[in-house]
Every structure is written in structure tokens, then in C-alpha cells.
Amino acid sequence: MPPLVGFSDNPFRTHEDFKLGAIALLRAIKPYQSPGGARVKLPLATGTHFDDVAAQLEGFARALWAVGTLLHSRITTEVEYNELVRPYIEGLANGTDPEHAEYWGPVVLRDQRMVEMEIISYALLAAPDAMFHSQSDTAKRNITEWLKTINGKDFPITNWLWFRVMTNLALVKVCGILYEQVGDAMKEDLDLMERFYLGQGWAADGMWNEEGKQADYYSGSFAIQFSQLMYAKMAQDLDPERCTRFRERAKEFATTFWRYFDSNGAAIPFGRSLTYRFAFAGFWSAAAFAEVELPSPLNDLGVVKGLLLRHFRWWSNKHDIFNVDGCLNIGFAYQNYYMCEDYNSPQSVYWALKSFLALGLPSNQPFWTAEEKPLPGGNALASPIDAPMHIVCNTGNHHFLLSSGQFCPWPLKATEAKYGKFAYSSHFGFSVPTGPLLQQMAPDNTIAISKDGGDTWRVPWKVKHNEQRAVALFKGRDETVESLQVLSSHWKPWRDLEVEVRTILVAPCSRWPDWYVRFTSIGNPGLSPVTLNLSQGGFAIQGRGSKKGEILPTFAESATIKATESSSFAEGILETVDGALICSDAGASGVRSVILRSLTGEQDSAENVTSSGHVLKPDANTNLMWQRTLIPTIRSKTRVLNTGDSIHLISAVLAVARTSDKIAQYDALDLQKMWEDVPVIRAGKLSAKGGGDGGEYINVQILS
């Protein structure tokens, strides 16, 4: 798609650049604003589970993240104000007027209108004179009465509670409602959301229990942390103790959240609503706007500024996020309806405008005058983030996270892909299913299991923490060199079959920094024998040639994994009896089956399993980053698993990213050597000693 002038060509360095980006996005949707200003309907016919009037209200309201901020900072020219700002002031009066043709309608049940009320309330709080006090008495009364209808309604116990809190805050601070009328309701909602708190500054999106565990960008930039910072900025006089608490949580959250962003600005996509795109960085913008002094290593405003602006620069290079008219489309790196939610209307995507909140600061404020700084130094190879059950890994060649234990309990599209995979990458993204066949499921970074010969497949979804603890140690000549970060999980693929799957994820170590390891045991404690087909996938990768989008050639053997005469990097695929590797202009992605050794040096014969490497070609448009991908997999089949039988599968996953900021670094790598240097794995009890050849290995230990 064509780039958007003002955004795609934007250097995103200064306050003025940031303003031009916001203006460009608002100008693109201007032709689709209704005559009375109260609705925005982009020229797409896709639907949602809620009514189209609410969807058009989304288009109006979500623009207010930018409009309200521009009004707050008073930085628009007269032309910009009349063209892009004034219609929203008029639209607020018309949309809340029951007698007007563009009236939004009353709030009923769990209504999408409740969501948009928070954004309208933000605009009222950020610019009360323009948005409210300049209105006629009738309009002010209509706005107030419409917002009041959010009270007394049933609410989902999720981040939605913040929508009512912020609406009531606007009713008090702007619309003249007495705090005594809504204060108790606000406290009740806020106290209920205290039960979402997980520690380390993190919150879950709802109650964290065995019925569901979600801690994603809604817990941070999309909703909870973002709303807490707005509340801390705007409710200090009403609720000083809680505002202080929210500021402290933001400080603690920031010390781990920055690790989700790569040095080039890309964030690791994980969870739902990823079509909100640069809302990923909303937390950094809100923290700047709320003037929260963050702790080390973020106590330099230049570091926070870099996190925000590099993220915008990363998105400015993704031209396919726009329709031909310059409006944002539904998708991630390109238009993609497979990955969106049933609550994503064409207008929903403008939730992304949350990340412009830092425009509310004057251009001479320290955040904007600070020199932009890179990510903090001393980045660990693997950093455990306990609250969301993640390990964020930064190898120098790849930035990704390992995940275990989260799942969304309600029927979210592609829920198992958005929460249940083993790994998620800021460069390779992840894939979502298009259908039930294996190639349609696009099982990257997961294990797919079939009990009917491959007709149907299951992948991890409602995964639980393994009751067994695991440790992994990197050893050199039987001496422990370092302890490795691990995650463990337990999962039952079928209700009608007592098959159990236990997986241990082992983060990269200094000896094999570009690999992570998966130790999977599959047991059959039930009465029915079963034969299983298995597919273990690595990272999905751009699967076409860089010159003409041609099919990648096949490497004859690992010795041929090298750059060609016409290219500075290797392009091709390799399939062997123990693995598969794919190299393209996006980097290299592979998976290897690893022979298991115990500490006594005995080799597991694996007589019950036959395996081979296979390059899987999934459906087009399954991946968030690239339209046409390939997935390196290990295909396996068990013999009959009788009662009490079990098998062990060890796989090592290699991924090296060829990013725009590290092209020379990637092209200088010896991919053949990396591919052949597969991690050595052993397993045994903690009390075991000695054995083996005294070389270097990773020892995976199961603790009862």
C-alpha cells in the first residue's frame, strides 16, 4: 500500500515530528467523518459483534486520544484546528443529543459505548474548556446525562472497569457532578481491580485463577497501566493515596516492561488486540505525560524518549498498515483479518492513538529536550518476568520471549495462538490459524498433536503450571557454569483421553545463545492405547526469495548454507532426518531433534518414536509479519502408547533475525557452523553425579 505522508516519511525525533504524525493520521480519516462530526465510518463493510452505530462512535471517540491531547497542548494552527479539531467538539454535542440524527443511542448491558466513554472522558479532562465549557447549556446537559448512563450497568470484571472509573472522574472534574454521588462507585470499581494485581507492577486483565490467566498489553500500554497513569495525573486532589500507589506501580512495571522492546523499536507481539499496533508504546507516552520519574535503568528521560520514538519509527517503515486512502487497516504488519477480534471494526484500530499522549507536554519540557538514548546497557541474555510467566530473551541476534501458563478463557479468535505458544518474537512475530488442517493451523513455536492419523490436531491452550519443578544447568566438564531460566507446563489435549503433555522450556545460555530448548514428555496413564502424530515447530519466517519472491531453493547439505554470488546472505531450505532449517532475507529459523542423554551417559533409544525434519508451508496470511512464510518442523509418529507408556522429545530451536539495523552483523554470521553446533542435552536426577564425556552440555533436572 502507498505510504502515508506525514507518518511514513516521519523521522519521529522531535515534538514537532510527533505532532505531524498525529495530524497525518487524523487527516486521513477526516473524509469519513459525518456532517455533524459525531461519527466516523471508514469505507469498509466488515462487521463486529456490536451494532454499527457503536462502531461509528468508535471512529469518533478513538480519534480523541489525539484530538484531546492536541487541545491540551494548544499546538494546532488555526487551519488545523478548524479542519481537524473543531468537528470533534461539535460532534460530541451532536452525538449525545437524543434529538440529533447522529445520536449515539443509550447505553445498554455490556455495550461498546461504555468503552468509548473513557476516551471521551479523557478529552473532557484534558481539554475541559474546549470540549465542555464552550458548549451550549443544552449540550452540556446532554453530555452529562449520556455519560451518567454508564452507572448501574453490568460490567465484565476486566480492564473495562477503568472505563467507568474515568467516566465518573470526568463527570466530577468537568461536568459538575458531586463526588459524593459517584465516589463510592468509583472506589468499589478501583478496589475490585486491586484483585488483578500480580506483583512487579503487573496486573492481570481480570481475575488471575485456574479459569483464566491473562497478562498482556492490556495489563500495560493498552489499558490498565495506561489508565492508572491518567488517573494519577488527573485525580491527585481526589484520591492522593491511590494515585501515589499507581505511580509506584508504574515505576516497578517499567523496570521489566522495557525489555519487551528491541533495539530497533519493535515490540514483541503477544496476546489479543494486536491490530492496535503502536499502542504498544502507550505506557511510555503516558508515563511521560504523567511526569512519573522512573527508576534505574530508566531514570534518564532520554531512554524513555528512545523507547517511544524508536517504536514509532519502526511502524513508520510498515507501509502496508495503511489502506490506499491513508487510513489504518485491520491487521498487524499488513492487512490481515485472520488475526483480528470480533470486536475490531474498521475504526477500532485508532486505539493506537493512545501513544500520542506525550504531545500533551510542551516542546520545551525536559522529556522533549532530552537527548534520545538507546536501550539500557547490560541487557541480560534471559530475563525472567515472573508475573506474566515470561522469560524475555535478547541474544544479540534475536529478541523474543518464552511463555508458559497463560490462556484466555473466553472464545477469542486464535486464542491458542495468541497466548499458548512457547515463544513470541519481535522480528518473526507468530502465526494464527486459518482452518483445522496442519498447514492451516500454522503451528510455529508449539507442538501439534493428533490421535487420528493427522485428520485433526490439538495445540496447547488451557495450559497449567507443571506441578513438578525443573532446573537447567549449563555445565562444562561436569562443573556448573551457569543456571538457566526455565518454564514448565502441563496440558491435556483431550477430555476423552488421558494423555498428558509436560513441557520444559529452557532459555538460551552463553554457550548456545541463539538456541532455546524444549523438553517434552508425553504420557498415557489411561486405559486406552493410542498412536500419536506430532509436529514440533520453530519460528515462522518469510519464505520467499528476496529478488522476485521466488520459491526458496533446497540446500543439498549443511555445507551449502552460505551466501550466493548474487546475495550477501544465504537463501534456501534444508530438511534432514533430525531437523529443518530455512534461510531468507528475514534471517534463519530452524529446529533440531536432540538425542537425550542421561548423566550416566546412556542414550535414550527412542524406539517408540520415528521423526524427521520437514519444512511446512502454511496458508498465506497466517503470520503477523509476512504474508508468505515457511515453518521448520520435526514430524514424529509414535508406536502404540499403552497404559503407563511415555515418550520424551527434545528439540532445540534456532533463530537469527536479519533486522534493518543489524544487516551487516547477520551477513557476517557463519550459519553452517551455528546450525551444526546444536546444544547437547542430558537429563537426570539432582543427586546424580559424574558420567558423560566431561564436555559441555545442558543438564535438565526434574525435581519431584
Side-chain angles (χ1 to χ4, degrees), residues 443-446 516 518 536-540 589-591 631-633 653-654:
D444 57 336
N445 276 303
T446 192
Y516 82 88
R518 302 195 298 237
Q536 300 176 77
F539 289 91
S589 174
V591 61
I631 302 173
T633 67
V653 179
L654 172 71

Side-chain angles (χ1 to χ4, degrees), residues 622-641:
T622 48
N623 187 261
L624 270 63
M625 299 291 190
W626 294 284
Q627 295 96 328
R628 302 171 184 88
T629 58
L630 298 173
I631 302 173
T633 67
I634 298 170
R635 294 273 186 91
S636 303
K637 184 177 182 180
T638 71
R639 296 185 180 181
V640 175
L641 286 183

